[in-house]
Short mmCIF file of all heavy atoms in Angstrom, two decimals:
data_model
loop_
_atom_site.label_atom_id
_atom_site.label_comp_id
_atom_site.label_asym_id
_atom_site.label_seq_id
_atom_site.Cartn_x
_atom_site.Cartn_y
_atom_site.Cartn_z
N LYS A 18 10.73 -4.49 -6.11
CA LYS A 18 9.58 -5.15 -5.63
C LYS A 18 9.06 -4.51 -4.33
O LYS A 18 7.86 -4.35 -4.20
CB LYS A 18 9.82 -6.60 -5.33
CG LYS A 18 8.66 -7.45 -4.77
CD LYS A 18 8.93 -8.90 -4.59
CE LYS A 18 7.69 -9.65 -4.14
NZ LYS A 18 7.82 -11.07 -3.96
N VAL A 19 9.94 -4.14 -3.44
CA VAL A 19 9.54 -3.52 -2.25
C VAL A 19 8.85 -2.13 -2.59
O VAL A 19 7.88 -1.81 -1.91
CB VAL A 19 10.75 -3.23 -1.26
CG1 VAL A 19 10.30 -2.74 0.13
CG2 VAL A 19 11.49 -4.51 -1.05
N MET A 20 9.46 -1.44 -3.43
CA MET A 20 8.92 -0.08 -3.88
C MET A 20 7.53 -0.27 -4.51
O MET A 20 6.57 0.46 -4.23
CB MET A 20 9.87 0.55 -4.86
CG MET A 20 11.31 0.84 -4.37
SD MET A 20 11.32 2.12 -3.09
CE MET A 20 10.94 3.56 -4.09
N ARG A 21 7.38 -1.37 -5.31
CA ARG A 21 6.11 -1.56 -5.98
C ARG A 21 5.00 -1.92 -4.95
O ARG A 21 3.86 -1.35 -5.04
CB ARG A 21 6.21 -2.72 -6.98
CG ARG A 21 4.95 -3.13 -7.62
CD ARG A 21 5.14 -4.18 -8.71
NE ARG A 21 5.70 -5.44 -8.10
CZ ARG A 21 4.95 -6.46 -7.53
NH1 ARG A 21 3.63 -6.28 -7.40
NH2 ARG A 21 5.50 -7.50 -7.08
N ILE A 22 5.32 -2.68 -4.00
CA ILE A 22 4.36 -3.04 -2.95
C ILE A 22 3.99 -1.83 -2.09
O ILE A 22 2.79 -1.59 -1.75
CB ILE A 22 4.85 -4.25 -2.08
CG1 ILE A 22 5.09 -5.39 -2.92
CG2 ILE A 22 3.75 -4.58 -0.98
CD1 ILE A 22 3.99 -5.97 -3.74
N ALA A 23 5.02 -1.04 -1.79
CA ALA A 23 4.78 0.16 -0.96
C ALA A 23 3.87 1.17 -1.76
O ALA A 23 3.00 1.82 -1.16
CB ALA A 23 6.10 0.77 -0.58
N ASP A 24 4.08 1.23 -3.00
CA ASP A 24 3.31 2.09 -3.90
C ASP A 24 1.79 1.65 -3.97
O ASP A 24 0.93 2.42 -3.92
CB ASP A 24 3.89 2.07 -5.30
CG ASP A 24 3.65 3.48 -6.00
OD1 ASP A 24 3.66 4.50 -5.35
OD2 ASP A 24 3.34 3.45 -7.18
N GLN A 25 1.66 0.31 -4.01
CA GLN A 25 0.29 -0.23 -3.95
C GLN A 25 -0.41 0.11 -2.63
O GLN A 25 -1.63 0.46 -2.60
CB GLN A 25 0.30 -1.80 -4.14
CG GLN A 25 0.72 -2.24 -5.54
CD GLN A 25 0.86 -3.73 -5.64
OE1 GLN A 25 0.71 -4.48 -4.67
NE2 GLN A 25 1.11 -4.19 -6.84
N ALA A 26 0.32 0.05 -1.59
CA ALA A 26 -0.19 0.41 -0.17
C ALA A 26 -0.60 1.85 -0.22
O ALA A 26 -1.55 2.29 0.41
CB ALA A 26 0.78 0.07 0.84
N LEU A 27 0.31 2.71 -0.83
CA LEU A 27 0.02 4.13 -0.89
C LEU A 27 -1.36 4.42 -1.63
O LEU A 27 -2.14 5.23 -1.10
CB LEU A 27 1.12 4.88 -1.63
CG LEU A 27 0.85 6.35 -2.01
CD1 LEU A 27 0.65 7.18 -0.69
CD2 LEU A 27 2.11 6.87 -2.87
N TYR A 28 -1.56 3.83 -2.75
CA TYR A 28 -2.82 3.98 -3.54
C TYR A 28 -4.00 3.43 -2.65
O TYR A 28 -5.06 4.01 -2.73
CB TYR A 28 -2.77 3.21 -4.82
CG TYR A 28 -1.99 4.03 -5.81
CD1 TYR A 28 -0.71 3.60 -6.32
CD2 TYR A 28 -2.41 5.23 -6.37
CE1 TYR A 28 -0.02 4.31 -7.29
CE2 TYR A 28 -1.74 6.01 -7.24
CZ TYR A 28 -0.48 5.53 -7.65
OH TYR A 28 0.27 6.24 -8.57
N ALA A 29 -3.82 2.39 -1.85
CA ALA A 29 -4.97 1.88 -1.02
C ALA A 29 -5.16 2.94 0.07
O ALA A 29 -6.37 3.18 0.35
CB ALA A 29 -4.39 0.60 -0.33
N ALA A 30 -4.15 3.64 0.58
CA ALA A 30 -4.37 4.74 1.52
C ALA A 30 -5.22 5.85 0.95
O ALA A 30 -6.06 6.48 1.64
CB ALA A 30 -3.06 5.25 2.07
N LYS A 31 -4.91 6.15 -0.34
CA LYS A 31 -5.65 7.15 -1.05
C LYS A 31 -7.14 6.75 -1.19
O LYS A 31 -8.06 7.63 -0.96
CB LYS A 31 -5.08 7.43 -2.36
CG LYS A 31 -3.64 8.08 -2.42
CD LYS A 31 -3.72 9.53 -2.14
CE LYS A 31 -2.33 10.16 -2.32
NZ LYS A 31 -2.40 11.58 -1.93
N ARG A 32 -7.39 5.52 -1.64
CA ARG A 32 -8.68 5.07 -1.77
C ARG A 32 -9.52 4.98 -0.55
O ARG A 32 -10.73 5.16 -0.50
CB ARG A 32 -8.63 3.66 -2.39
CG ARG A 32 -8.22 3.55 -3.88
CD ARG A 32 -8.53 2.27 -4.54
NE ARG A 32 -7.94 1.11 -3.76
CZ ARG A 32 -6.82 0.58 -3.95
NH1 ARG A 32 -5.98 1.14 -4.87
NH2 ARG A 32 -6.30 -0.40 -3.31
N ARG A 33 -8.85 4.83 0.67
CA ARG A 33 -9.50 4.72 1.90
C ARG A 33 -9.81 6.03 2.57
O ARG A 33 -10.16 6.12 3.76
CB ARG A 33 -8.68 3.74 2.81
CG ARG A 33 -8.64 2.36 2.29
CD ARG A 33 -7.81 1.41 3.19
NE ARG A 33 -7.55 0.18 2.47
CZ ARG A 33 -6.89 -0.89 3.03
NH1 ARG A 33 -6.27 -0.68 4.24
NH2 ARG A 33 -6.74 -2.01 2.43
N GLY A 34 -9.45 7.19 1.87
CA GLY A 34 -9.78 8.47 2.41
C GLY A 34 -8.66 9.37 2.63
O GLY A 34 -8.87 10.51 3.06
N ARG A 35 -7.42 8.95 2.29
CA ARG A 35 -6.21 9.84 2.48
C ARG A 35 -5.88 10.12 3.86
O ARG A 35 -6.61 9.71 4.82
CB ARG A 35 -6.37 11.15 1.62
CG ARG A 35 -6.65 10.96 0.16
CD ARG A 35 -6.79 12.28 -0.50
NE ARG A 35 -6.91 12.16 -1.93
CZ ARG A 35 -8.05 11.95 -2.57
NH1 ARG A 35 -9.17 11.93 -1.85
NH2 ARG A 35 -8.08 11.86 -3.82
N ASN A 36 -4.71 10.81 4.12
CA ASN A 36 -4.27 11.13 5.44
C ASN A 36 -4.22 9.96 6.38
O ASN A 36 -4.73 10.00 7.51
CB ASN A 36 -5.12 12.28 6.07
CG ASN A 36 -4.56 12.82 7.38
OD1 ASN A 36 -3.38 12.81 7.55
ND2 ASN A 36 -5.48 13.35 8.20
N ARG A 37 -3.70 8.89 5.87
CA ARG A 37 -3.58 7.60 6.62
C ARG A 37 -2.36 6.82 6.25
O ARG A 37 -1.76 7.02 5.16
CB ARG A 37 -4.87 6.85 6.57
CG ARG A 37 -5.12 6.19 5.23
CD ARG A 37 -6.46 5.64 5.09
NE ARG A 37 -7.54 6.53 5.39
CZ ARG A 37 -8.63 6.37 6.16
NH1 ARG A 37 -8.76 5.21 6.71
NH2 ARG A 37 -9.48 7.28 6.35
N VAL A 38 -2.05 5.82 7.05
CA VAL A 38 -0.92 4.89 6.76
C VAL A 38 -1.53 3.53 6.40
O VAL A 38 -2.39 3.05 7.12
CB VAL A 38 -0.03 4.75 7.97
CG1 VAL A 38 1.05 3.69 7.64
CG2 VAL A 38 0.63 6.06 8.26
N VAL A 39 -1.11 2.90 5.29
CA VAL A 39 -1.53 1.58 5.03
C VAL A 39 -0.26 0.71 4.84
O VAL A 39 0.64 1.04 4.19
CB VAL A 39 -2.35 1.47 3.74
CG1 VAL A 39 -2.50 0.00 3.25
CG2 VAL A 39 -3.76 2.18 3.90
N ARG A 40 -0.24 -0.42 5.50
CA ARG A 40 0.93 -1.33 5.58
C ARG A 40 0.69 -2.58 4.56
O ARG A 40 -0.39 -3.09 4.54
CB ARG A 40 1.17 -1.84 6.96
CG ARG A 40 2.43 -2.51 7.15
CD ARG A 40 2.64 -2.89 8.61
NE ARG A 40 1.62 -3.93 9.11
CZ ARG A 40 1.34 -4.15 10.39
NH1 ARG A 40 1.97 -3.53 11.26
NH2 ARG A 40 0.46 -5.07 10.68
N ALA A 41 1.81 -2.91 3.96
CA ALA A 41 1.73 -4.08 3.09
C ALA A 41 2.74 -5.09 3.49
O ALA A 41 3.77 -4.77 4.06
CB ALA A 41 1.99 -3.61 1.63
N ASP A 42 2.46 -6.41 3.18
CA ASP A 42 3.40 -7.43 3.42
C ASP A 42 4.05 -7.89 2.09
O ASP A 42 3.31 -8.38 1.19
CB ASP A 42 2.64 -8.64 4.06
CG ASP A 42 3.59 -9.79 4.41
OD1 ASP A 42 4.75 -9.82 3.94
OD2 ASP A 42 3.10 -10.62 5.20
N VAL A 43 5.33 -7.62 1.89
CA VAL A 43 5.96 -7.86 0.61
C VAL A 43 5.93 -9.42 0.27
O VAL A 43 5.66 -9.76 -0.88
CB VAL A 43 7.42 -7.41 0.65
CG1 VAL A 43 8.18 -7.89 -0.63
CG2 VAL A 43 7.45 -5.86 0.70
N LEU A 44 6.17 -10.19 1.30
CA LEU A 44 6.13 -11.65 1.00
C LEU A 44 4.91 -12.20 0.49
O LEU A 44 4.84 -13.07 -0.41
CB LEU A 44 6.61 -12.40 2.26
CG LEU A 44 8.05 -12.10 2.85
CD1 LEU A 44 8.26 -12.85 4.16
CD2 LEU A 44 9.04 -12.47 1.84
N ALA A 45 3.80 -11.73 1.06
CA ALA A 45 2.54 -12.21 0.63
C ALA A 45 1.86 -11.29 -0.37
O ALA A 45 0.80 -11.62 -0.99
CB ALA A 45 1.56 -12.32 1.78
N ASP A 46 2.41 -10.17 -0.71
CA ASP A 46 1.89 -9.12 -1.59
C ASP A 46 0.46 -8.85 -1.13
O ASP A 46 -0.42 -8.50 -2.02
CB ASP A 46 1.90 -9.73 -3.11
CG ASP A 46 3.17 -9.59 -3.71
OD1 ASP A 46 4.21 -9.47 -2.99
OD2 ASP A 46 3.25 -9.65 -4.98
N SER A 47 0.24 -8.78 0.07
CA SER A 47 -1.07 -8.41 0.59
C SER A 47 -0.99 -7.04 1.34
O SER A 47 0.03 -6.65 1.81
CB SER A 47 -1.57 -9.50 1.62
OG SER A 47 -0.83 -9.58 2.77
N ILE A 48 -2.18 -6.39 1.41
CA ILE A 48 -2.20 -5.00 1.99
C ILE A 48 -3.19 -5.10 3.13
O ILE A 48 -4.26 -5.53 3.04
CB ILE A 48 -2.68 -4.05 0.91
CG1 ILE A 48 -1.58 -3.91 -0.29
CG2 ILE A 48 -2.85 -2.64 1.55
CD1 ILE A 48 -1.98 -3.01 -1.30
#
């Protein structure tokens, strides 16, 4: 589950322009 949420955050970083960090909250499944 932690890996899945981190992977979702990674794709969000890609969508937002790359070369950045996006943080996710595992408990809320929010990015």
